């Protein structure tokens, strides 16, 4: 124990918010406060962070504080000696059982079993709710999915849709107000071509509606006509002009097309179990009436220049080849607006009308430059308040086994609906082979969940920034960090609870006892649930949550092998049973936050 453990904690530093270590707090934050306090006491520096992280190895304790090295550097003093003084200055507390200085000045922290047991017991007594709500909820806009409605959703939309959905769920679960925004592409010259094709079909027969059902081939036919059929391209351009002028007939045809396309998307959202609804829709066309004004404001702020007839914004931070300034075009010489103009209007709407504190764009990494430019211009034009955080949550490309962007054998884009059905079909085969005795109804239910979860989990469990190779056999494997493994682990825990004859969720009865390292590991892992959620909410990497759940499942299995439940004496049995139930809650909630359904039996 650190010295003075008997003395009362006195916090007189105005620079630190030191919580009274509330039960069910975030352990890492509590440790961070304690160590920061000690650093500031010893050094007089108030801006040094304790930098507490999970220990990189079990022999380095449960957590480690790495902040002393930076403080020592700033003070030009020996880091190891400083670390020793910091350790001696850690305020009295009940969570740290042991502290060690390692290497050049790392501080290894060991939590006390008593603290862990007490926290877990308190958690049970208060109803087993793993997450508490933030005190000051933020308004967080999450822009995700945003398919182009001219075509059917394809695999390129998969990542953004499920990563965005997970982030929206996680941030919402913390008690923030989440505003989902589906920035679908519903405007532009392509729609002239599609309406022209639709109208000519309608004139000839009533086939239009039937053909629209296959949006992809509808688009391809329209495109072929546009490229090859004499006069068709002019007709299409005519529709674009009429559309822009607000011609009622033309708008009606356009709306019909959009509705059809949207119901395709909704079918996919439903199948994927994604939260997006029509209420979350803010299509590009929503901002049409704002675009003139965006140009005017940019001009008023002196941000606009004209280059070859086009209106552009040049910002110093963006240069192209050989340092030549890179323009962001906001209005073409023919008066047309661009993707960037709409995004500026959208960001202003989010900052000013929606009053967002944080705006997240879950969009392909290839649009990185676009967003950097839009964000920088919006800042200069004061479209968003300075304290609002605007972040591009980028992700890499889904690759085929050949290492190239995922395509069909003939080189076409893969329809998302077909990919999902293929996954469910493969899952059905697996389930039937594994459990031939199950009824067809049960097999269907299980393979639906496994098939969809496999695709989602494979994606969410990878670091979103890297490209990843889409591979059926790993994602459907029952081993490793996969959906089938996780779903199976959950179902197994449920069956354990059923067999113990007590399916009740943790109630206020059991005191948690830590009698050995397997129990300790499990308790610590469960208590870390809010930390992981916090980290995902802050950094928007769903793979942290997947890794956590996978580790939790593994730690649980080791606990269950080492610690008999039914045969243990009454109090220990109650404690262990409660740990099983808490693990089940954590797994279920974690998987739900990833947007995955669970099965009680498999
Ligand atoms: N529709 C765009 C695309 O398919 C994605 C929209 C992303 N969101 C945004 N605010 N630009 O690439």
């Amino acid at each position: 124990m650190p010295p003075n453990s008997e003395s009362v904690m006195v916090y007189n530093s105005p620079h630190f918010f030191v919580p009274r270590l509330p039960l069910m707090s975030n352990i890492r934050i509590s440790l961070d406060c304690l160590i920061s306090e000690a650093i500031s006491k010893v050094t007089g520096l108030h801006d040094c962070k304790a930098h507490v992280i999970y220990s990189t190895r079990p022999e380095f304790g449960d957590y480690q504080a790495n902040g002393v090295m930076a403080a020592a550097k700033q003070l030009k003093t020996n880091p190891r000696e400083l670390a020793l003084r910091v350790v001696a200055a850690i305020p009295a507390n009940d969570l740290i059982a042991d502290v060690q200085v390692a290497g050049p000045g790392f501080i290894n922290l060991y939590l006390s079993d008593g603290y862990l047991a007490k926290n877990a017991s308190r958690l049970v007594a208060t109803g087993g709710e793993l997450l508490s709500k933030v005190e000051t909820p933020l308004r967080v806009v999450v822009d995700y999915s945003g398919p182009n409605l001219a075509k059917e959703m394809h695999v390129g939309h998969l990542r953004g849709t499920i990563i965005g959905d997970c982030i929206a769920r996680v941030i919402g679960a913390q008690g923030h107000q989440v505003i989902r925004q589906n920035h679908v592409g519903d405007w532009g010259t392509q729609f002239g071509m599609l309406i022209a094709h639709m109208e000519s079909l309608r004139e000839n027969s009533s086939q239009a509606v039937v053909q629209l059902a296959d949006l992809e081939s509808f688009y391809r036919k329209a495109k072929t006509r546009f490229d090859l059929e004499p006069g068709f391209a002019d007709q299409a351009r005519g529709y674009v002009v009429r559309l822009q002028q607000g011609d009622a007939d033309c708008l009606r045809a356009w709306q019909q097309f959009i509705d059809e396309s949207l119901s395709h998307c909704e079918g996919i959202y439903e199948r994927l179990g994604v939260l997006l609804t029509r209420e979350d829709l803010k299509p590009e066309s929503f901002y049409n009436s704002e675009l003139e004004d965006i140009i005017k404001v940019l001009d008023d702020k002196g941000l606009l220049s004209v280059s070859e007839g086009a209106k552009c914004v040049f910002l110093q931070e963006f240069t192209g080849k050989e340092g030549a300034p890179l323009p962001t075009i906001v209005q073409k010489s023919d008066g047309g607006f661009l993707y960037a103009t709409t995004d500026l209007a959208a960001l202003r709407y989010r900052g000013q009308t929606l009053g967002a504190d944080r705006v997240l764009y879950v969009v392909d990494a290839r649009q990185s430059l676009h967003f950097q430019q839009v964000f920088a211009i919006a800042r200069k034009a004061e479209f968003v308040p300075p304290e609002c955080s605007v972040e591009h949550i980028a992700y890499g490309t889904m690759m085929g086994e050949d290492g190239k962007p995922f395509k069909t054998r003939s080189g076409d884009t893969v329809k998302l609906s077909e990919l999902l059905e293929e996954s469910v079909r493969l899952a059905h085969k697996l389930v039937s082979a594994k459990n031939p005795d199950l009824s067809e109804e049960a097999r269907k239910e299980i393979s639906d969940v496994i098939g969809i979860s496999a695709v989602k989990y494979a994606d969410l469990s990878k670091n979103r920034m890297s490209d990843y190779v889409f591979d059926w056999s790993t994602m459907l494997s029952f081993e490793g960090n996969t959906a089938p493994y996780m779903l199976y682990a959950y179902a197994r825990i449920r069956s354990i609870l059923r067999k113990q004859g007590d399916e009740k969720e943790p109630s206020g009865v059991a005191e948690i006892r830590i009698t050995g390292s397997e129990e300790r590991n499990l308790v610590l892992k469960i208590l870390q649930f809010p930390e992981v959620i916090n980290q995902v909410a802050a950094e928007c990497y769903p793979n942290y949550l997947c890794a956590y759940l996978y580790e939790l499942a593994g730690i649980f299995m080791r606990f269950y092998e080492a610690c008999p439940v039914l045969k243990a004496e009454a109090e220990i049995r109650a404690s262990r049973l409660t740990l099983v139930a808490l693990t089940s809650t954590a797994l279920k909630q974690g998987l739900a936050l990833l947007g995955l359904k669970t099965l009680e039996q498999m």
Side-chain angles (χ1 to χ4, degrees):
M1 279 303 279
N4 310 328
S5 60
E6 296 307 318
S7 66
V8 184
M9 274 200 248
V10 182
Y11 297 113
N12 46 18
S13 159
H15 297 273
F16 288 107
F17 165 69
V18 182
R20 293 189 337 270
L21 305 183
L23 288 155
M24 240 358 262
S25 73
N26 193 316
I27 301 171
R28 203 181 61 80
I29 292 177
S30 304
L31 290 172
D32 217 292
C33 290
L34 284 171
I35 309 298
S36 296
E37 172 78 11
I39 296 179
S40 90
K41 220 181 327 182
V42 170
T43 63
L45 299 171
H46 291 304
D47 50 356
C48 272
K49 298 234 159 46
H51 198 65
V52 173
I53 60 169
Y54 294 131
S55 287
T56 46
R57 288 205 237 143
E59 58 270 33
F60 296 159
D62 300 313
Y63 290 79
Q64 63 184 66
N66 298 345
V68 167
M69 270 87 74
K73 201 166 178 191
Q74 202 174 332
L75 295 170
K76 301 199 173 54
T77 173
N78 179 315
R80 205 180 151 89
E81 263 161 40
L82 183 64
L84 288 167
R85 280 163 58 213
V86 166
V87 165
I90 296 174
N93 64 83
D94 63 357
L95 79 163
I96 304 174
D98 194 12
V99 197
Q100 278 163 14
V101 173
F106 298 105
I107 298 177
N108 296 341
L109 300 159
Y110 299 79
L111 298 171
S112 86
D113 287 2
Y115 171 82
L116 293 176
K118 193 166 75 181
N119 262 272
S121 303
R122 204 57 73 97
L123 171 64
V124 176
T126 52
E129 182 59 62
L130 292 168
L131 290 180
S132 46
K133 303 278 182 222
V134 289
E135 272 166 36
T136 35
L138 300 177
R139 201 173 280 198
V140 185
V141 168
V142 187
D143 175 328
Y144 69 102
S145 193
N148 180 349
L149 295 185
K151 298 186 186 180
E152 196 165 323
M153 280 180 88
H154 57 82
V155 292
H157 299 110
L158 182 65
R159 300 206 74 189
T161 303
I162 60 192
I163 295 171
D165 203 57
C166 168
I167 292 169
R169 286 172 192 262
V170 166
I171 293 177
Q174 288 201 306
H176 296 293
Q177 185 195 347
V178 172
I179 306 175
R180 291 181 295 271
Q181 296 279 279
N182 194 357
H183 191 88
V184 298
D186 67 340
W187 202 251
T189 48
Q190 292 160 322
F191 290 92
M193 170 183 100
L194 294 164
I195 298 168
H197 183 50
M198 195 167 83
E199 293 293 271
S200 69
L201 287 180
R202 210 208 299 274
E203 273 161 28
N204 296 334
S205 66
S206 56
Q207 296 176 41
V209 178
V210 182
Q211 294 208 9
L212 262 177
D214 187 348
L215 205 55
E216 202 53 37
S217 65
F218 188 90
Y219 180 90
R220 252 183 278 128
K221 276 182 202 139
K223 180 81 172 84
T224 311
R225 290 183 70 186
F226 187 87
D227 292 338
L228 303 175
E229 189 179 306
F232 185 81
D234 284 336
Q235 221 177 323
R237 282 187 208 102
Y239 274 109
V240 176
V241 174
R242 279 171 59 197
L243 201 57
Q244 277 164 351
Q245 288 164 344
D247 174 288
D249 285 338
C250 200
L251 278 174
R252 205 172 306 122
W254 168 76
Q255 192 62 55
Q256 190 198 345
F257 184 88
I258 296 298
D259 281 340
E260 192 59 39
S261 182
L262 274 175
S263 43
H264 276 268
C265 295
E266 282 161 351
I268 302 257
Y269 294 155
E270 161 102 41
R271 191 71 170 124
L272 271 176
V274 156
L275 298 170
L276 289 167
T277 67
R278 287 223 175 184
E279 251 129 73
D280 307 314
L281 210 63
K282 275 288 175 302
E284 289 187 3
S285 63
F286 174 79
Y287 303 101
N288 282 349
S289 58
E290 298 288 310
L291 302 179
E292 286 287 356
D293 188 59
I294 291 288
I295 304 294
K296 185 179 167 305
V297 175
L298 292 176
D299 200 12
D300 291 347
K301 304 242 174 192
L303 291 164
L304 219 55
S305 354
V306 178
S307 168
E308 294 168 32
K311 292 186 180 150
C312 313
V313 180
F314 286 96
L315 292 181
Q316 274 174 355
E317 334 36 332
F318 300 100
T319 51
K321 280 193 212 108
E322 286 148 29
L326 207 62
T328 307
I329 307 175
V330 288
Q331 190 169 24
K332 291 187 286 188
S333 53
D334 67 4
F337 300 105
L338 292 106
Y339 185 50
T341 330
T342 307
D343 256 323
L344 285 167
L347 188 44
R348 181 170 75 170
Y349 174 78
R350 293 162 186 185
Q352 298 182 358
T353 310
L354 297 180
D357 300 299
R358 190 176 181 204
V359 188
L360 305 174
Y361 289 81
V362 186
V363 186
D364 195 313
R366 286 172 287 196
Q367 295 192 30
S368 212
L369 176 63
H370 162 77
F371 284 114
Q372 283 174 43
Q373 291 176 318
V374 166
F375 298 169
I377 296 169
R379 290 270 181 224
K380 292 241 155 70
E382 297 175 82
F383 289 159
V384 276
E387 64 281 5
C388 173
S389 165
V390 183
E391 303 157 47
H392 178 201
I393 308 303
Y395 54 82
T397 307
M398 186 167 132
M399 302 294 197
E401 274 157 48
D402 55 0
K404 297 199 189 108
F406 194 82
K407 292 262 162 72
T408 61
R409 265 197 214 131
S410 54
D412 288 332
T413 51
V414 179
K415 286 187 191 182
L416 202 39
S417 52
E418 284 169 8
L419 181 96
L420 296 178
E421 292 332 309
E422 175 68 358
S423 189
V424 169
R425 195 184 63 78
L426 292 170
H428 191 273
K429 250 169 87 178
L430 276 178
V431 172
S432 305
K434 234 175 138 73
N435 290 330
D437 302 337
L438 282 179
S439 71
E440 172 53 24
E441 195 188 344
R443 273 187 278 172
K444 191 179 169 317
E445 191 201 334
I446 296 172
S447 46
D448 263 2
V449 174
I450 293 186
I452 301 296
S453 306
V455 170
K456 293 179 85 171
Y457 195 88
D459 198 316
L460 294 167
S461 59
K462 309 283 185 317
N463 181 315
R464 64 173 160 79
M465 286 305 284
S466 11
D467 294 342
Y468 86 99
V469 176
F470 188 91
D471 170 27
W472 290 118
S473 63
T474 25
M475 74 174 71
L476 284 163
S477 163
F478 278 84
E479 268 147 56
N481 190 9
T482 65
Y485 172 83
M486 292 307 306
L487 292 171
Y488 185 72
Y490 176 74
R492 172 138 184 249
I493 292 176
R494 297 308 289 174
S495 106
I496 293 169
L497 282 173
R498 271 194 304 275
K499 285 205 198 94
Q500 312 298 349
D502 182 4
E503 283 192 76
K504 273 189 297 184
E505 298 302 320
S507 64
V509 283
E511 267 304 305
I512 297 299
R513 304 294 180 91
I514 294 182
T515 63
S517 65
E518 287 84 8
E519 262 161 335
R520 185 186 191 278
N521 290 344
L522 185 58
V523 169
L524 176 58
K525 201 73 191 172
I526 291 169
L527 292 175
Q528 285 171 337
F529 186 81
E531 285 180 6
V532 174
I533 296 305
N534 215 6
Q535 203 182 359
V536 177
E539 299 169 32
C540 302
Y541 282 94
N543 62 308
Y544 295 161
L545 179 53
C546 298
Y548 168 86
L549 294 172
Y550 180 57
E551 284 161 24
L552 174 64
I555 288 174
F556 174 81
M557 296 306 176
R558 285 189 285 284
F559 155 83
Y560 194 66
E561 272 156 33
C563 303
V565 177
L566 271 194
K567 294 201 192 92
E569 53 112 341
E571 284 180 9
I572 305 277
R573 183 172 67 212
S575 163
R576 289 181 180 167
L577 211 47
T578 306
L579 287 180
V580 180
L582 281 174
T583 308
S584 139
T585 308
L587 280 180
K588 188 180 175 88
Q589 193 172 0
L591 292 170
L593 290 175
L594 292 171
L596 263 54
K597 291 196 184 104
T598 39
L599 295 159
E600 295 296 304
Q601 253 170 309
M602 262 171 87

